[in-house]
Amino acid sequence: MSGVHNFKSLSAAEAIVKQVKSGKAKTAVIVGAGFIGMEIALLLCALGVKVTQIEMLDQVMATMLDGETAAIALDLMRKRGVNVRLNTKAKAFVGKRKATGVQLASEKVLEGDILIAATGVKPNLELLEKSDIDHNWGICVDDHLRTHAPDIYAAGDAVEVPDRLTGESFVHANFPNAVEQGRVVGLNMAGYDVRYEGGDRMNSLKHLGLPIMAVGLKQGDEVLQEKRKGNLRTLYLKQNRLVGFQLVGDIHPAGILRTLIVQQSDISPIKHHLLDPNFGQGMMVWQAVTPYM
Ligand SMILES: Cc1cc2nc3c(=O)[nH]c(=O)nc-3n(C[C@H](O)[C@H](O)[C@H](O)COP(=O)(O)OP(=O)(O)OC[C@H]3O[C@@H](n4cnc5c(N)ncnc54)[C@H](O)[C@@H]3O)c2cc1C
């Protein structure tokens, strides 16, 4: 419906900013409190727009954040002035010639100068209509990112790949995954034999005033947690292997923690260091060297 924005192009985002700066738009309603909806809400708020954000679930960023980290993000959003309404389901965008509001499941209509649908990304697979390339939600590929059609590969937000940790197949729509898939496809098309190791769940929020980063799973058979001076570090382990982490505030160990997830090696020897605020590369090197001293 015209009048509904979905942030699929830079020019669409620029048009909204222009509308706000010209004083023509003072209120916004955003449907969805996933990662993209949250960032748009914060940025519009920073431009002085009165933002209402509705989310049908009982927490923000439910795919990525555990309950505790999500509660911190929600609190920060509200402190920044975003009116986040959880457990609120949108039914339809409504208006005469163009959308002017969002109708809720309760039938109430929330009017807004700017209306945004941020309910998730769906691959546009029109291109495949006349082909016999298989797809579900995204294009199906094998472990070398080959489609079922000879000599046709697929990579990026249009493709369904297994998750590195769970093997579950879905569209892992983020930039690092797209780049890695592009690398694997490029090498395989050039004649190398490269297996794709699987997509990574990861996300970060940069505009909250306090960085938040989440990688991997948000459950395990063991949970390590440290709260210190406004920072929160939660680590999820399965059989002494790191399978996920959530960082609030101090995100400096993210790179090393992600490497531990990718390697899936037994972390028992360093487990007691993982919550140390100084945990980092220096400590790992020291650990590696000291047994020989
Ligand atoms: C608002 C927003 C914010 C994001 N922020 C982040 C972030 O902070 N960090 C992160 O890791 N990821 C982020 N992402 C996700 C990231 O942008 C994507 O995962 C990444 O761009 C995927 O790369 P891609 O090459 O598959 O697709 P794209 O970057 O979308 O590139 C696909 C290209 O193909 C072109 N195209 C499509 N159909 C056709 C056709 N039929 N013929 C010819 N050309 C065609 C498109 O025009 C486009 O240029 C964000 C996404 C959005 C929408």
Side-chain angles (χ1 to χ4, degrees):
M1 187 172 202
S2 98
V4 181
H5 302 275
N6 54 22
F7 277 73
K8 277 193 185 155
S9 70
L10 180 59
S11 51
E14 284 169 345
I16 293 178
V17 172
K18 202 169 156 200
Q19 209 184 335
V20 172
K21 287 193 170 161
S22 69
K24 286 186 192 141
K26 295 192 180 344
T27 59
V29 182
I30 301 176
V31 180
F35 145 77
I36 289 176
M38 300 267 284
E39 295 230 314
I40 296 170
L42 288 164
L43 294 170
L44 285 176
C45 217
L47 289 172
V49 177
K50 194 165 173 264
V51 180
T52 302
Q53 183 164 30
I54 61 172
E55 167 57 57
M56 64 179 182
L57 300 177
D58 61 359
Q59 71 162 79
V60 298
M61 284 183 74
T63 322
M64 276 313 298
L65 300 186
D66 62 27
E68 200 168 356
T69 306
I72 296 173
L74 175 63
D75 186 45
L76 289 168
M77 293 287 288
R78 288 180 169 155
K79 283 190 177 134
R80 293 285 295 275
V82 181
N83 174 18
V84 186
R85 296 175 55 170
L86 300 178
N87 302 305
T88 306
K89 191 168 178 180
K91 200 166 136 190
F93 287 100
V94 290
K96 288 205 173 108
R97 252 173 267 136
K98 98 189 231 289
T100 52
V102 178
Q103 185 171 30
L104 305 181
S106 65
E107 304 300 330
K108 188 180 169 188
V109 173
L110 300 178
E111 304 278 345
D113 301 326
I114 302 171
L115 303 173
I116 292 171
T119 49
V121 181
K122 186 168 191 264
N124 177 350
L125 302 176
E126 259 171 42
L127 190 64
L128 305 187
E129 265 169 22
K130 290 188 182 144
S131 78
D132 57 0
I133 294 175
D134 286 355
H135 66 85
N136 298 315
W137 183 260
I139 302 172
C140 303
V141 286
D142 68 10
D143 64 355
H144 282 58
L145 303 182
R146 287 178 289 236
T147 68
H148 298 103
D151 298 329
I152 300 184
Y153 291 73
D157 280 6
V159 58
E160 258 182 46
V161 291
D163 185 86
R164 180 194 296 280
L165 296 166
T166 62
E168 185 196 349
S169 220
F170 60 95
V171 174
H172 287 67
N174 67 44
F175 193 74
N177 284 323
V179 170
E180 174 57 10
Q181 289 161 18
R183 188 186 74 83
V184 170
V185 163
L187 287 168
N188 283 327
M189 289 175 86
Y192 291 89
D193 179 12
V194 184
R195 200 181 139 266
Y196 180 62
E197 289 183 356
D200 294 306
R201 294 167 203 248
M202 57 179 129
N203 236 315
S204 63
L205 276 169
K206 302 169 276 287
H207 304 285
L208 273 175
L210 192 66
I212 291 187
M213 188 170 278
V215 177
L217 309 183
K218 49 186 177 117
Q219 69 261 334
D221 55 31
E222 189 178 354
V223 183
L224 307 178
Q225 194 181 59
E226 172 72 12
K227 293 178 197 176
R228 194 189 296 253
K229 293 183 192 155
N231 298 314
L232 177 67
R233 188 180 299 179
T234 312
L235 309 177
Y236 294 96
L237 281 68
K238 273 190 185 165
Q239 294 169 339
N240 282 318
R241 281 154 176 85
L242 188 66
V243 292
F245 64 85
Q246 312 246 320
L247 304 174
V248 179
D250 177 14
I251 57 166
H252 89 271
I256 295 175
L257 292 174
R258 178 168 180 264
T259 304
L260 292 175
I261 292 180
V262 172
Q263 287 176 343
Q264 282 299 286
S265 46
D266 186 341
I267 56 164
S268 314
I270 55 162
K271 199 152 92 177
H272 57 292
H273 286 306
L274 294 180
L275 295 178
D276 189 316
N278 298 316
F279 171 74
Q281 215 145 20
M283 186 175 269
M284 300 279 278
V285 173
W286 181 82
Q287 275 282 311
V289 168
T290 40
Y292 306 104
M293 289 172 71

